[in-house]
Amino acid sequence: MRLFVSVDLPDALAPAVAAVQGAFADASGLSFTDPDQAHITLKFLGEVDQDRIPALEAALETAVDESDVTPFSVTYGGLGVFPDLSYISVLWLGVIEGGDELTRLHKAIEARTTALGFDPESHDFTPHVTLARMEHAGGKELVQDLVTDWEPIASNALAAQYPGERGPVVGETTVEEVRLTESTLGPDGPVYETVTTISLG
């Protein structure tokens, strides 16, 4: 099973995520993710034998408990790229509020899963929602321009609370759980299915 641990965006935010992706529609080379499956990956686990699932679930429950994170608010907004603007592989939507709690969850989950033998992360954790992957650099300049000089698609009341934010303010939600998710690769992209859910607090 190809697994990852995630915080999922609610269905109500999918249209706003899609609207941001739409602003990049003319950038050739971008392969967009499904806005209905938008999520923040707390830990990518890779291929996992099914007989390891019970121990993994127990480790995740312990990690969430040790993180001492109770239900919290996340505001999604701002744009960024990995690894940098000169060479873009991923376009992402960031987190304006709630990043501290997401980082605490990540660190606790990282510690418990590496103790089980899963590979440690090779880079620092940046809470983000992947919007697209850049398969070739045809539209790189357009992506660079939009990321560095975003002009809002439309004004909204939430955006007015963050006047200095570079990029869109997509919305806010309360995070009450993390999920162990299975990703099955198909011809039309990955299909996600929840394996287990761990409640916060």
Side-chain angles (χ1 to χ4, degrees):
M1 302 172 72
R2 188 171 184 265
L3 301 177
F4 62 91
V5 185
S6 66
V7 165
D8 296 357
L9 275 66
D11 293 342
L13 290 186
V17 172
V20 175
Q21 291 174 318
F24 293 86
D26 292 336
S28 65
L30 284 182
S31 175
F32 294 98
T33 57
D34 183 348
D36 291 320
Q37 296 182 341
H39 64 275
I40 293 174
T41 300
L42 296 174
K43 175 69 178 178
F44 179 73
L45 298 163
E47 298 291 338
V48 181
D49 291 337
Q50 196 150 2
D51 58 6
R52 298 185 70 188
I53 300 300
L56 177 58
E57 290 176 336
L60 293 175
E61 289 179 4
T62 299
V64 168
D65 184 55
E66 290 175 340
S67 74
D68 202 29
V69 173
T70 55
F72 63 101
S73 178
V74 174
T75 302
Y76 297 95
L79 296 169
V81 299
F82 291 139
D84 56 55
L85 282 170
S86 62
Y87 179 81
I88 300 170
S89 62
V90 173
L91 168 68
W92 50 260
L93 172 72
V95 169
I96 304 172
E97 302 284 352
D100 289 346
E101 290 88 348
L102 291 164
T103 299
R104 282 162 54 196
L105 285 167
H106 160 75
K107 287 181 176 179
I109 291 168
E110 175 76 0
R112 283 291 172 177
T113 54
T114 53
L116 280 181
F118 290 95
D119 291 338
E121 293 291 347
S122 59
H123 49 74
D124 293 337
F125 176 68
T126 301
H128 69 279
V129 178
T130 297
L131 296 175
R133 293 176 175 83
M134 181 150 266
E135 298 179 342
H136 65 76
K140 184 174 79 170
E141 289 187 4
L142 177 55
V143 174
Q144 290 170 328
D145 290 345
L146 286 170
V147 169
T148 57
D149 189 24
W150 174 267
E151 293 186 8
I153 299 169
S155 62
N156 63 56
L158 185 62
Q161 298 178 29
Y162 303 96
E165 183 60 37
R166 188 180 76 183
V169 179
V170 164
E172 59 184 348
T173 187
T174 299
V175 174
E176 298 180 335
E177 62 190 24
V178 301
R179 295 183 183 180
L180 178 62
T181 303
E182 180 181 11
S183 173
T184 303
L185 300 179
D188 297 322
V191 177
Y192 298 149
E193 184 174 350
T194 300
V195 177
T196 192
T197 300
I198 302 110
S199 298
L200 302 181

